[in-house]
Amino acid sequence: MAKALLSGNEALARGAYEADVSVATGYPGTPSTEILENISKYYGSDVYCEWSPNEKVAFEAAAGATTTGARALVTMKLVGLNVAADPLMTLSYTGVVGGFIAIVADDPGMNSSQNEQDTRLFAHFAKVPVLEPSDSMEAKEFLKAGLEISEKFGAPLILRTTTTISHSRGVVELVDRQPLGRVHSFKKDPQRFVPIPAFARGMRVRLQERVENMSEEASKSPLNRIEWTTNGDRRLGIVTSGATYQYVKEVFPDVNILKIGWAYPFPDKLFLDFAKSVDQVLVIEELEDFMEQRLKSLGVATIGKRLGSAKLIPEYGPLDVDVLRVARAQLEADPEYGKLLEHSQGDIVAANASTLEAPALPGRPPVLCPGCPHRGLFYALSKFDTVVSGDIGCYSLAVAPPLNCMDTILCMGGGITVAHGMERAKNDRPVVGIVGDSTFFHSGMTGLMDIVYNKGAATIVVLDNRITAMTGHQDNPGTGKTILGEETFAASVEEIARAMGVKNVVEVNPRDLTTTYQALKVAIESDELWLIVAKEPCPLAYRKKLAHGMRVNQEKCKRCGACIKIGCPALERSADKVVTVNDSMCVDCGLCQQVCKFNALEQFDLQSSKGGLV
């Protein structure tokens, strides 16, 4: 049997291939992005893939595919499920024909997200099953098992991963694709697929029956298992799931463990059987007290987020070995519970002694890349006294010094709608709403229509860098290419805006500070709606060989620091304020030249052996 070292995202893609998934859709969002990117590599094996404009569209397209009997999946990050919540809630009622999985990547610690939420609560809310793999091999196998569960019960299923699972690598056993040989054909059945009230009431009854049946199945499923200690000590039992299971195994090396892989519907019988077999139950889970509350509702006295009146397992942020070691030490020091861990003292001491402590890494705050076209727009915008309503994308980094040019962020598309609300409330300063090109297609168009229809007068800026940059340069409806690299229609922000009724539409190159400043001035001082499209490709996505470089003429430089205020990482300043250009980072965007009043930034020819000025 072949083996490969795969990340969790790569393993999920492999599982989709092996399980004969026919349709895979999604919207890019860290930490889920690489799943669909890797599935697209199997297109030659009849797996259809697409980046959809947003998660709701992606969810609905995959749901449509499954009504024909095809196996389908949709990928997104945690906040993407908020966007797709509407179809999720109803698909739970109608059910599915072919297997349907929504892979949702949670982000404990908010490494790349605007909030921290636990998708297991969404599964409970929608009454759909949720699986939690603990490593790459389980990610692949759980996806395949999830499709079987989905088809057996006719239920959409959520496979919840986290940043750790998505990006950690592990050994994965590979098998050949197993074609199902199905003919995909929709069979008319209005009472199943048309949830008008008369039919939906019956669907709701069947949904509750399905939940109860799945709960019984979960208690018997091999996805959930008990690992008893080798020494027979039954004083303490730990209930855990996902990546946290790996940390529990390291910090509590010889403790009874109930490892949960099928988290909802709750495996109530298994919970109770395990609880009856140990003296004390400790629940260790990442984020919400999801399983802990269920155990307590079943009458099981548990330790979990709290130890008496003291906090024990954090309710937010990612869990890891260090966090659990602190929790273990707290347990050991407690007069009542310390005795539960006496049997494994030697094991944990030995484990700690053999662990090499890595030094803490220095902080590395994210910044806009050298040559990023957004920098010019925000530098020009910073010259005005405005309120800037931002959005989700690379440009969120404009909130940081030295640009300091982002006042609010809410959600995808909120850059437009929040600006409209501020303007309609007669804010005492002009309002500028910012979105990216991919965000505009995702959920910005409806907000723009809202402004037009209700006669708003905000200034809206679309930062069109010709790609979905923040998540790794994925194509979108404006790039003219699909996820498979095929040429397709390229949507135009400007044409769409005009079709919606926006009268004042102007395109600028944000690297031209004078033109950009003038366009902003006209729009901000106007009492009408303006849409400014700041269009310039992302230099990382569209790389080109540089003909020129930049250097500082130290004789002309006054060390005023004006060039530093654009926030370019290629400009470096020493303790005595001497500015130099890092040649390995400079992409010759020319912004520094435009802000220097003393002509100290000079362009030179990289092709010339003497580096002559140009």
Side-chain angles (χ1 to χ4, degrees):
M1 181 178 293
K3 297 182 179 180
L5 187 65
L6 302 179
S7 69
N9 284 347
E10 292 169 334
L12 288 165
R14 179 69 191 191
Y17 166 71
E18 292 181 3
D20 199 26
V21 167
S22 297
V23 174
T25 64
Y27 183 81
T30 306
S32 71
T33 305
E34 298 86 2
I35 303 169
L36 198 59
E37 288 182 331
N38 280 280
I39 295 177
S40 70
K41 297 175 183 178
Y42 299 112
Y43 179 73
S45 300
D46 299 324
V47 183
Y48 169 75
C49 294
E50 73 169 37
W51 285 129
S52 305
N54 65 34
E55 296 85 357
K56 180 176 182 291
V57 172
F59 194 103
E60 292 162 352
T66 193
T67 63
T68 71
R71 285 184 164 180
L73 63 81
V74 57
T75 70
M76 63 194 71
K77 67 184 296 179
L78 61 157
V79 288
L81 189 57
N82 302 337
V83 180
D86 193 6
L88 167 66
M89 302 303 290
T90 302
L91 188 62
S92 176
Y93 275 52
T94 64
V96 301
V97 181
F100 178 99
I101 289 184
I103 305 175
V104 183
D106 283 1
D107 189 16
M110 296 172 285
N111 298 278
S112 58
S113 306
Q114 65 268 39
N115 63 40
E116 185 182 65
Q117 52 193 71
D118 191 328
T119 292
R120 296 177 302 173
L121 298 178
F122 239 128
H124 190 196
F125 183 29
K127 300 188 183 302
V128 300
V130 61
L131 306 185
E132 290 188 85
S134 65
D135 57 28
S136 294
M137 183 62 189
E138 283 194 352
K140 180 177 83 82
E141 293 304 310
F142 276 31
L143 186 138
K144 296 163 71 174
L147 289 167
E148 297 287 344
I149 294 169
S150 175
E151 291 178 346
K152 179 175 181 177
F153 293 97
L157 180 143
I158 293 174
L159 195 152
R160 180 209 187 204
T161 68
T162 60
T163 303
T164 299
I165 299 299
S166 295
H167 295 155
S168 297
R169 293 186 176 273
V171 176
V172 176
E173 296 177 350
L174 310 179
V175 299
D176 293 334
R177 183 178 176 88
Q178 302 294 319
L180 300 174
R182 295 176 178 173
V183 175
H184 301 157
S185 177
F186 175 77
K187 294 179 176 56
K188 187 179 179 69
D189 187 352
Q191 292 194 19
R192 177 176 182 180
F193 295 119
V194 184
I196 59 174
F199 297 158
R201 295 185 187 102
M203 295 177 186
R204 179 65 182 87
V205 174
R206 293 192 293 274
L207 174 58
Q208 191 59 39
E209 293 173 349
R210 184 197 305 156
V211 170
E212 293 170 1
N213 291 336
M214 286 190 293
S215 176
E216 294 180 8
E217 186 79 7
S219 289
K220 300 180 291 185
S221 172
L223 301 180
N224 299 323
R225 67 174 185 264
I226 297 175
E227 299 177 0
W228 297 114
T229 62
T230 56
N231 58 22
D233 192 312
R234 298 291 177 91
R235 284 181 290 176
L236 178 64
I238 296 178
V239 179
T240 190
S241 63
T244 304
Y245 163 76
Q246 308 292 352
Y247 308 137
V248 167
K249 292 286 287 183
E250 183 170 345
V251 178
F252 299 87
D254 197 12
V255 171
N256 307 295
I257 294 175
L258 171 54
K259 180 189 179 299
I260 297 297
W262 184 344
Y264 182 85
F266 297 108
D268 289 343
K269 184 178 184 303
L270 184 61
F271 277 159
L272 291 172
D273 288 346
F274 182 69
K276 291 174 183 176
S277 302
V278 297
D279 297 336
Q280 178 66 57
V281 173
L282 167 62
V283 183
I284 301 179
E285 54 189 327
E286 207 163 42
L287 299 184
E288 302 293 336
D289 53 352
F290 185 69
M291 296 185 294
E292 179 184 349
Q293 288 299 325
R294 183 61 176 186
L295 280 158
K296 288 179 176 178
S297 75
L298 295 173
V300 178
T302 67
I303 311 168
K305 297 299 181 184
R306 306 190 75 85
L307 180 64
S309 61
K311 293 183 178 180
L312 181 64
I313 306 298
E315 297 174 320
Y316 56 88
L319 299 183
D320 56 29
V321 170
D322 292 334
V323 172
L324 294 195
R325 282 177 179 160
V326 171
R328 180 182 173 112
Q330 189 176 342
L331 275 171
E332 290 174 340
D334 189 276
E336 181 179 356
Y337 298 106
K339 61 181 181 295
L340 298 173
L341 295 166
E342 291 172 348
H343 66 280
S344 59
Q345 279 282 3
D347 294 325
I348 194 65
V349 170
N352 285 335
S354 63
T355 301
L356 295 177
E357 295 294 333
L361 294 174
R364 293 178 293 176
V367 295
L368 294 174
C369 302
C372 176
H374 303 336
R375 180 173 287 107
L377 183 284
F378 284 112
Y379 181 81
L381 184 56
S382 68
K383 304 302 179 183
F384 298 90
D385 183 18
T386 62
V387 177
V388 181
S389 169
D391 218 294
I392 311 301
C394 299
Y395 42 89
S396 302
L397 300 175
V399 68
L403 295 173
N404 300 307
C405 202
M406 187 73 70
D407 296 310
T408 73
I409 293 178
L410 182 62
C411 61
M412 294 283 280
I416 293 177
T417 46
V418 169
H420 174 58
M422 288 182 179
E423 187 273 324
R424 292 287 84 182
K426 301 185 185 300
N427 187 66
D428 59 358
R429 286 183 290 157
V431 181
V432 178
I434 304 283
V435 297
D437 51 332
S438 184
T439 305
F440 178 79
F441 298 122
H442 177 282
S443 49
M445 293 187 291
T446 48
L448 187 62
M449 175 57 73
D450 186 36
I451 299 179
V452 175
Y453 174 65
N454 289 294
K455 301 181 180 181
T459 297
I460 304 301
V461 179
V462 176
L463 300 172
D464 187 355
N465 60 4
R466 318 304 300 148
I467 204 72
T468 309
M470 186 182 189
T471 52
H473 306 119
Q474 290 76 35
D475 286 294
N476 62 58
T479 66
K481 288 186 178 180
T482 69
I483 189 176
L484 307 171
E486 298 173 340
E487 298 292 331
T488 186
F489 169 76
S492 166
V493 173
E494 298 94 313
E495 291 178 7
I496 290 173
R498 292 189 180 100
M500 285 183 168
V502 181
K503 297 178 181 178
N504 305 308
V505 180
V506 61
E507 178 185 322
V508 299
N509 182 338
R511 287 183 173 175
D512 183 339
L513 293 181
T514 300
T515 301
T516 301
Y517 177 86
Q518 290 299 328
L520 286 168
K521 186 175 188 297
V522 170
I524 290 170
E525 293 178 355
S526 171
D527 59 359
E528 296 182 337
L529 167 64
W530 278 78
L531 180 74
I532 298 174
V533 181
K535 184 179 292 186
E536 178 67 14
C538 169
L540 294 185
Y542 299 90
R543 296 177 183 271
K544 59 182 180 181
K545 187 176 181 179
L546 296 177
H548 306 112
M550 197 71 64
R551 65 189 180 195
V552 179
N553 186 325
Q554 298 298 339
E555 294 181 358
K556 294 181 178 180
C557 180
K558 306 300 183 183
R559 303 185 184 181
C560 64
C563 59
I564 297 298
K565 293 179 180 179
I566 65 174
C568 178
L571 292 173
E572 300 175 350
R573 184 163 62 166
S574 65
D576 56 355
K577 298 185 178 181
V578 174
V579 177
T580 56
V581 177
N582 186 327
D583 293 333
S584 67
M585 301 182 71
C586 179
V587 298
D588 188 34
C589 68
L591 286 184
C592 55
Q593 269 191 317
Q594 296 177 65
V595 301
C596 181
K597 298 179 180 179
F598 307 103
N599 299 318
L601 276 300
E602 299 175 343
Q603 192 181 53
F604 65 92
D605 185 357
L606 288 173
Q607 309 305 316
S608 170
S609 59
K610 297 181 179 180
L613 298 180
V614 295

